[in-house]
C-alpha cells in the first residue's frame, strides 16, 4: 500500500506545481509553455519507467511475483518496463481524440482561453479518480472472470466499426443531451463570472457556463475511458502497471491540448 500511496503523492505534487506554481493566475497557456510541460511529463514518465524496471526485477513489495493473465508469465523487470511504456503510448493515442472533443466543447460554449486551463485541470483530476475506480473494478473482474477480456476485445471492434460508418455530426454541443440535462436540473447563468464554477445570485446558487464545460469534459473522458481501459487490459492485467501508465497519459492530456490548440 505504501507504494500506491507514494505514487498518488507524486501525482498530487505534479498537480500542485501545475495549479499552484505554474498556473496560479488565469492566463492563456502559450504553445511554448504547453510543450515544455508536455516534454517534462514525458521525461518524468520515462524516469518512472526505470523505477518500474527495478521494482519488478527485484520483486520489491511483491511486484512481479504473480502471473500476468495476458501472457501467462510473471512480469520481469524488462517485461514490466515494456508493458508500462506500451500502455502509456496506447493511452496517449487513444486520448488524442478527446483533445479534439475538448476543442469543440470550448469553441461551442465560447470558453475564454484564459479560463480553459482551470476547466481542464479539474476535469483531469476527476478523470484520474474515475479511471482509478474503473481500473480497480476491471482488475478484480478479470482476475475472477478471464473471459471478460474477449468481451472487451469484441467491444473495441464494435466501437471501431461504429467510428468507421458514423455519419458526420454538425458538432452543435449546446443542443446535446448532457447540456440540456444540466440546464434543466440546475440554474445556469447566461454569462461567465471570471473563473468561477458557481455564484450566489439573488440568494440562489447558480452554475456558470464554465461548470457546464467542466461537466462536458468529465462526461467525454468517461465515454472515452470505456474503450481505452479495455485496450490497456489487453496489454497487461497487472493493476499497478495499468493504473500508473494510465495516470501519466492523462496528466499529459491537458498540456497536449494546449500545444495542439495553439
Amino acid at each position: 500500500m505504501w507504494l500506491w500511496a507514494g505514487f498518488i503523492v507524486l501525482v498530487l505534487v505534479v498537480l500542485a506545481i501545475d495549479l499552484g506554481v505554474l498556473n496560479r493566475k488565469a492566463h492563456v497557456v502559450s504553445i511554448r509553455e504547453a510543450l515544455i510541460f508536455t516534454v517534462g511529463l514525458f521525461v518524468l514518465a520515462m524516469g518512472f519507467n526505470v523505477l518500474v524496471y527495478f521494482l519488478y526485477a527485484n520483486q520489491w513489495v511483491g511486484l512481479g511475483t504473480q502471473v500476468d493473465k495476458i501472457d501467462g508469465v510473471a512480469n520481469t523487470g524488462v517485461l514490466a518496463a515494456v508493458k508500462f511504456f506500451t500502455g502509456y503510448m496506447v493511452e496517449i493515442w487513444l486520448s488524442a481524440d478527446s483533445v479534439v472533443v475538448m476543442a469543440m466543447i470550448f469553441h461551442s460554449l465560447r470558453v475564454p482561453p484564459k479560463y480553459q486551463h482551470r476547466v481542464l485541470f479539474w476535469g483531469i483530476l476527476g478523470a484520474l479518480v474515475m479511471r482509478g475506480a474503473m481500473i480497480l473494478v476491471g482488475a478484480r473482474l478479470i482476475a475472477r472472470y478471464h473471459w471478460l477480456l474477449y468481451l472487451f476485445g469484441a467491444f473495441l471492434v464494435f466501437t471501431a466499426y461504429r467510428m468507421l460508418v458514423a455519419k458526420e455530426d454538425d458538432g452543435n454541443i449546446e443542443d446535446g443531451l448532457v447540456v440540456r440535462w444540466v440546464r434543466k436540473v440546475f440554474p445556469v447563468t447566461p454569462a461567465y463570472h471570471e473563473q468561477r464554477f458557481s455564484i450566489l445570485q439573488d440568494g440562489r446558487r447558480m452554475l456558470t457556463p464554465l461548470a457546464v464545460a467542466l461537466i462536458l469534459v468529465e462526461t467525454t473522458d468517461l465515454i472515452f475511458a470505456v474503450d481505452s481501459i479495455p485496450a490497456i487490459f489487453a496489454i497487461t492485467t497487472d493493476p499497478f502497471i495499468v493504473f500508473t501508465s494510465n495516470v501519466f497519459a492523462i496528466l499529459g492530456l491537458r498540456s497536449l491540448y494546449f500545444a495542439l490548440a495553439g
Side-chain angles (χ1 to χ4, degrees):
M1 291 301 296
W2 68 265
L3 185 63
W4 287 82
F7 178 74
I8 292 174
V9 169
L10 172 65
V11 173
L12 293 177
V13 169
V14 172
L15 293 174
I17 294 174
D18 182 6
L19 186 64
V21 180
L22 301 178
N23 297 281
R24 185 167 51 186
K25 295 182 179 180
H27 68 286
V28 179
V29 179
S30 65
I31 299 178
R32 180 176 179 272
E33 183 182 348
L35 288 176
I36 290 175
F37 199 78
T38 300
V39 173
L41 283 174
F42 177 78
V43 172
L44 183 63
M46 294 304 98
F48 186 82
N49 201 14
V50 174
L51 176 62
V52 167
Y53 169 81
F54 285 106
L55 285 172
Y56 282 80
N58 297 289
Q59 296 184 345
W60 291 341
V61 294
L63 294 177
T65 58
Q66 296 182 349
V67 173
D68 194 327
K69 291 184 179 295
I70 293 299
D71 48 21
V73 297
N75 288 321
T76 62
V78 173
L79 264 178
V82 169
K83 290 176 180 179
F84 175 90
F85 180 76
T86 305
Y88 172 68
M89 295 305 297
V90 165
E91 290 302 314
I92 285 180
W93 286 111
L94 288 177
S95 299
D97 47 7
S98 63
V99 170
V100 178
V101 177
M102 289 176 186
M104 292 175 59
I105 292 172
F106 291 149
H107 175 73
S108 179
L109 297 180
R110 295 175 290 279
V111 179
K114 65 179 181 179
Y115 300 145
Q116 291 177 6
H117 173 271
R118 180 173 174 83
V119 174
L120 291 183
F121 176 86
W122 291 107
I124 288 173
L125 189 62
L128 292 176
V129 176
M130 287 190 298
R131 295 213 180 192
M134 293 177 70
I135 289 169
L136 180 63
V137 173
R140 291 287 181 90
L141 289 175
I142 291 173
R144 181 169 296 184
Y145 310 108
H146 183 257
W147 51 266
L148 284 174
L149 286 173
Y150 299 103
L151 288 182
F152 286 161
F155 179 75
L156 289 176
V157 174
F158 172 73
T159 54
Y161 171 77
R162 287 292 300 271
M163 291 177 66
L164 186 65
V165 301
K167 297 180 180 180
E168 289 189 13
D169 194 356
D170 59 3
N172 192 357
I173 293 177
E174 288 194 87
D175 293 334
L177 179 64
V178 175
V179 175
R180 284 190 282 114
W181 177 83
V182 171
R183 294 186 182 278
K184 182 179 180 180
V185 176
F186 303 99
V188 180
T189 62
Y192 287 91
H193 294 264
E194 297 181 344
Q195 54 181 349
R196 298 177 185 174
F197 290 117
S198 68
I199 63 167
L200 193 61
Q201 192 173 79
D202 298 329
R204 184 173 62 162
R205 178 64 61 180
M206 300 183 69
L207 299 182
T208 67
L210 207 64
V212 178
L214 175 61
I215 293 171
L216 279 173
V217 168
E218 294 284 16
T219 306
T220 298
D221 181 80
L222 181 62
I223 293 172
F224 283 111
V226 173
D227 60 2
S228 64
I229 296 298
I232 196 168
F233 272 120
I235 298 169
T236 177
T237 57
D238 188 307
F240 186 73
I241 297 177
V242 171
F243 180 69
T244 53
S245 60
N246 229 273
V247 167
F248 273 111
I250 296 174
L251 284 176
L253 189 60
R254 180 199 61 81
S255 55
L256 182 62
Y257 162 78
F258 286 112
L260 294 177

